[in-house]
Amino acid sequence: MFDILCVTNRKLCNEDFLTRIEKVACAGPNAIILREKDLPENEYKSLAISVMEVCSRHNVRCILHTYAQVARELGAPVHMPMPLLRSLDKSGLRFGASCHSVDEAVEAERLGCSYITAGHIFETDCKKDLPGRGIEFLHSVCNAVSIPVYAIGGINASNVRRVAHSGAAGACVMSGAMSGDVTQFFNQLNNSLSGEIK
Protein backbone atom coordinates (compact mmCIF):
# COMPACT_ATOMS: atom_id res chain seq x y z
CA MET A 1 0.00 0.00 0.00
CA PHE A 2 1.43 3.37 -1.07
CA ASP A 3 -0.39 6.41 0.31
CA ILE A 4 -0.89 9.79 -1.32
CA LEU A 5 -1.24 12.70 1.11
CA CYS A 6 -2.35 16.14 -0.04
CA VAL A 7 -0.74 19.15 1.65
CA THR A 8 -2.84 22.28 1.30
CA ASN A 9 -1.83 25.77 0.23
CA ARG A 10 -4.85 27.99 -0.31
CA LYS A 11 -2.67 30.61 -2.03
CA LEU A 12 -2.24 28.24 -4.99
CA CYS A 13 -5.99 27.84 -5.48
CA ASN A 14 -7.73 29.63 -8.33
CA GLU A 15 -11.14 28.93 -6.77
CA ASP A 16 -12.84 28.90 -3.39
CA PHE A 17 -10.63 26.92 -1.01
CA LEU A 18 -13.36 24.67 0.38
CA THR A 19 -14.53 23.94 -3.17
CA ARG A 20 -10.98 22.80 -3.92
CA ILE A 21 -10.87 20.69 -0.74
CA GLU A 22 -14.10 19.00 -1.83
CA LYS A 23 -12.55 18.14 -5.20
CA VAL A 24 -9.36 16.86 -3.57
CA ALA A 25 -11.31 14.73 -1.09
CA CYS A 26 -13.36 13.28 -3.97
CA ALA A 27 -10.11 12.28 -5.70
CA GLY A 28 -9.40 9.90 -2.83
CA PRO A 29 -6.11 10.80 -1.14
CA ASN A 30 -5.30 8.89 2.03
CA ALA A 31 -5.13 12.14 4.00
CA ILE A 32 -5.25 15.92 3.70
CA ILE A 33 -2.77 17.94 5.75
CA LEU A 34 -4.25 21.38 6.41
CA ARG A 35 -1.04 23.44 6.29
CA GLU A 36 -2.48 26.98 6.43
CA LYS A 37 -0.14 27.92 9.25
CA ASP A 38 0.01 31.61 8.32
CA LEU A 39 -3.56 32.07 9.58
CA PRO A 40 -4.22 33.35 13.11
CA GLU A 41 -5.10 30.44 15.37
CA ASN A 42 -8.81 31.30 15.68
CA GLU A 43 -9.17 31.56 11.88
CA TYR A 44 -7.24 28.32 11.44
CA LYS A 45 -9.57 26.54 13.86
CA SER A 46 -12.65 27.77 12.02
CA LEU A 47 -11.20 26.60 8.69
CA ALA A 48 -10.13 23.28 10.23
CA ILE A 49 -13.69 22.56 11.38
CA SER A 50 -14.96 23.08 7.82
CA VAL A 51 -12.19 21.02 6.21
CA MET A 52 -12.62 18.18 8.73
CA GLU A 53 -16.33 18.07 7.87
CA VAL A 54 -15.53 17.70 4.15
CA CYS A 55 -12.93 15.02 4.90
CA SER A 56 -15.34 13.13 7.15
CA ARG A 57 -17.98 13.00 4.40
CA HIS A 58 -15.44 11.48 1.99
CA ASN A 59 -13.75 9.19 4.53
CA VAL A 60 -10.40 10.98 4.15
CA ARG A 61 -8.18 11.55 7.17
CA CYS A 62 -7.59 15.21 8.07
CA ILE A 63 -4.29 16.11 9.72
CA LEU A 64 -3.93 19.59 11.15
CA HIS A 65 -0.65 21.53 11.08
CA THR A 66 1.31 23.56 13.66
CA TYR A 67 -1.62 24.39 15.97
CA ALA A 68 -1.41 21.60 18.52
CA GLN A 69 -4.05 23.04 20.83
CA VAL A 70 -6.56 23.25 17.97
CA ALA A 71 -5.80 19.62 17.14
CA ARG A 72 -6.30 18.67 20.77
CA GLU A 73 -9.64 20.50 20.93
CA LEU A 74 -10.89 18.99 17.66
CA GLY A 75 -9.55 15.49 18.31
CA ALA A 76 -7.39 15.51 15.19
CA PRO A 77 -3.80 14.45 14.56
CA VAL A 78 -1.31 17.27 14.01
CA HIS A 79 1.78 17.70 11.84
CA MET A 80 4.58 19.69 13.48
CA PRO A 81 7.77 21.41 12.34
CA MET A 82 10.69 19.95 14.30
CA PRO A 83 11.51 23.17 16.24
CA LEU A 84 7.94 23.26 17.61
CA LEU A 85 7.83 19.52 18.22
CA ARG A 86 10.83 19.65 20.54
CA SER A 87 9.00 21.87 23.04
CA LEU A 88 5.50 20.49 22.44
CA ASP A 89 3.23 19.31 25.23
CA LYS A 90 2.44 15.98 23.60
CA SER A 91 -0.27 14.84 26.01
CA GLY A 92 -3.43 13.75 24.25
CA LEU A 93 -1.98 14.22 20.78
CA ARG A 94 -1.26 12.05 17.77
CA PHE A 95 1.45 13.72 15.73
CA GLY A 96 4.00 13.57 12.96
CA ALA A 97 6.78 15.92 11.91
CA SER A 98 8.66 17.41 8.96
CA CYS A 99 12.24 16.13 8.79
CA HIS A 100 15.11 17.34 6.63
CA SER A 101 17.91 15.01 7.73
CA VAL A 102 18.41 11.45 8.93
CA ASP A 103 19.24 12.79 12.40
CA GLU A 104 15.95 14.70 12.55
CA ALA A 105 14.06 11.58 11.47
CA VAL A 106 15.63 9.54 14.27
CA GLU A 107 14.89 12.34 16.75
CA ALA A 108 11.26 12.60 15.58
CA GLU A 109 10.73 8.89 16.12
CA ARG A 110 12.30 9.14 19.59
CA LEU A 111 9.97 12.05 20.43
CA GLY A 112 6.94 9.88 19.69
CA CYS A 113 5.97 10.68 16.09
CA SER A 114 3.72 8.12 14.47
CA TYR A 115 5.04 9.11 11.00
CA ILE A 116 7.31 11.71 9.39
CA THR A 117 7.63 13.56 6.11
CA ALA A 118 11.08 13.72 4.55
CA GLY A 119 12.13 16.26 2.00
CA HIS A 120 12.36 17.99 -0.13
CA ILE A 121 13.14 15.13 -2.48
CA PHE A 122 12.97 16.75 -5.92
CA GLU A 123 13.33 20.35 -7.04
CA THR A 124 10.13 22.29 -6.45
CA ASP A 125 8.85 25.83 -6.91
CA CYS A 126 8.15 25.88 -3.17
CA LYS A 127 11.92 25.70 -2.54
CA LYS A 128 13.31 27.80 -5.36
CA ASP A 129 17.09 27.60 -5.90
CA LEU A 130 17.43 24.66 -3.48
CA PRO A 131 18.35 21.33 -5.08
CA GLY A 132 16.30 18.33 -4.04
CA ARG A 133 17.86 15.96 -1.52
CA GLY A 134 17.14 13.03 -3.81
CA ILE A 135 16.06 9.43 -3.63
CA GLU A 136 19.22 8.27 -1.84
CA PHE A 137 18.43 10.65 1.01
CA LEU A 138 14.88 9.31 1.16
CA HIS A 139 16.16 5.73 1.18
CA SER A 140 18.55 6.60 4.06
CA VAL A 141 15.71 8.10 6.11
CA CYS A 142 13.48 5.09 5.51
CA ASN A 143 16.26 2.78 6.68
CA ALA A 144 16.93 4.84 9.82
CA VAL A 145 13.43 4.70 11.34
CA SER A 146 10.69 2.14 11.85
CA ILE A 147 7.76 4.57 11.48
CA PRO A 148 6.16 5.41 8.10
CA VAL A 149 8.05 7.95 5.99
CA TYR A 150 6.22 10.13 3.46
CA ALA A 151 8.30 11.82 0.79
CA ILE A 152 7.59 15.47 0.02
CA GLY A 153 8.81 17.95 -2.55
CA GLY A 154 8.34 18.04 -6.32
CA ILE A 155 6.53 14.70 -6.54
CA ASN A 156 4.43 14.05 -9.64
CA ALA A 157 3.44 11.25 -12.02
CA SER A 158 6.88 11.19 -13.67
CA ASN A 159 8.80 10.43 -10.47
CA VAL A 160 6.33 8.92 -7.97
CA ARG A 161 7.33 5.34 -8.84
CA ARG A 162 10.92 6.12 -7.83
CA VAL A 163 9.56 7.28 -4.47
CA ALA A 164 7.48 4.12 -4.12
CA HIS A 165 10.56 1.96 -4.75
CA SER A 166 12.60 3.80 -2.10
CA GLY A 167 10.86 2.22 0.86
CA ALA A 168 8.65 5.24 1.60
CA ALA A 169 5.12 4.59 2.86
CA GLY A 170 3.77 7.27 0.55
CA ALA A 171 4.17 10.69 -1.00
CA CYS A 172 2.89 14.18 -0.25
CA VAL A 173 1.67 16.41 -3.06
CA MET A 174 0.74 20.08 -3.03
CA SER A 175 0.86 22.04 -6.29
CA GLY A 176 -0.85 19.42 -8.46
CA ALA A 177 -3.67 19.06 -5.95
CA MET A 178 -4.18 22.75 -5.26
CA SER A 179 -4.36 23.96 -8.88
CA GLY A 180 -5.38 22.57 -12.23
CA ASP A 181 -7.47 19.44 -12.81
CA VAL A 182 -7.39 17.51 -9.51
CA THR A 183 -8.99 14.36 -10.89
CA GLN A 184 -6.55 14.19 -13.79
CA PHE A 185 -3.59 14.77 -11.47
CA PHE A 186 -4.58 11.94 -9.12
CA ASN A 187 -5.38 9.64 -12.04
CA GLN A 188 -1.90 10.24 -13.45
CA LEU A 189 -0.31 9.48 -10.07
CA ASN A 190 -2.31 6.29 -9.67
CA ASN A 191 -1.64 5.17 -13.23
CA SER A 192 2.07 5.74 -12.74
CA LEU A 193 2.06 3.77 -9.52
CA SER A 194 0.24 0.88 -11.19
CA GLY A 195 2.87 0.84 -13.95
CA GLU A 196 0.69 2.15 -16.74
CA ILE A 197 2.92 5.18 -17.26
CA LYS A 198 6.58 4.41 -17.97
Side-chain angles (χ1 to χ4, degrees):
M1 181 77 178
F2 186 83
D3 293 343
I4 300 295
L5 280 58
C6 170
V7 181
T8 72
N9 183 343
R10 69 191 190 286
K11 294 176 181 176
L12 296 179
C13 294
N14 55 1
E15 62 185 330
D16 174 73
F17 182 65
L18 288 176
T19 300
R20 173 59 55 157
I21 292 296
E22 186 86 35
K23 290 178 181 178
V24 170
C26 284
N30 298 89
I32 293 175
I33 300 176
L34 184 63
R35 191 183 176 270
E36 311 304 318
K37 58 186 182 178
D38 61 306
L39 288 173
E41 186 166 347
N42 62 327
E43 290 182 31
Y44 181 90
K45 182 177 180 180
S46 177
L47 181 62
I49 290 169
S50 297
V51 171
M52 287 175 68
E53 193 275 326
V54 173
C55 288
S56 177
R57 279 194 282 107
H58 294 281
N59 199 29
V60 173
R61 283 187 302 144
C62 183
I63 301 170
L64 304 188
H65 198 295
T66 300
Y67 293 114
Q69 185 54 36
V70 173
R72 193 177 277 113
E73 290 169 7
L74 298 181
V78 64
H79 189 87
M80 300 297 293
M82 282 298 294
L84 294 181
L85 178 64
R86 292 180 179 113
S87 59
L88 177 68
D89 171 9
K90 301 171 184 66
S91 59
L93 284 175
R94 295 164 290 149
F95 54 92
S98 302
C99 298
H100 303 96
S101 69
V102 171
D103 286 347
E104 279 191 348
V106 171
E107 180 185 5
E109 183 174 36
R110 181 176 54 77
L111 290 172
C113 285
S114 60
Y115 74 91
I116 59 170
T117 60
H120 62 285
I121 303 305
F122 303 109
E123 290 184 19
T124 171
D125 287 344
C126 297
K127 305 279 187 183
K128 283 188 185 296
D129 303 321
L130 287 175
R133 291 184 170 89
I135 290 294
E136 283 304 314
F137 162 75
L138 179 59
H139 187 68
S140 297
V141 170
C142 292
N143 284 341
V145 297
S146 58
I147 55 178
V149 176
Y150 297 97
I152 192 168
I155 296 165
N156 55 42
S158 67
N159 58 33
V160 70
R161 290 183 73 193
R162 294 175 61 202
V163 173
H165 293 154
S166 71
C172 299
V173 295
M174 178 189 285
S175 301
M178 290 288 101
S179 59
D181 187 325
V182 179
T183 303
Q184 182 182 50
F185 176 72
F186 275 87
N187 284 343
Q188 289 172 342
L189 285 175
N190 290 327
N191 288 342
S192 182
L193 285 166
S194 67
E196 293 173 25
I197 294 177
K198 303 299 182 192

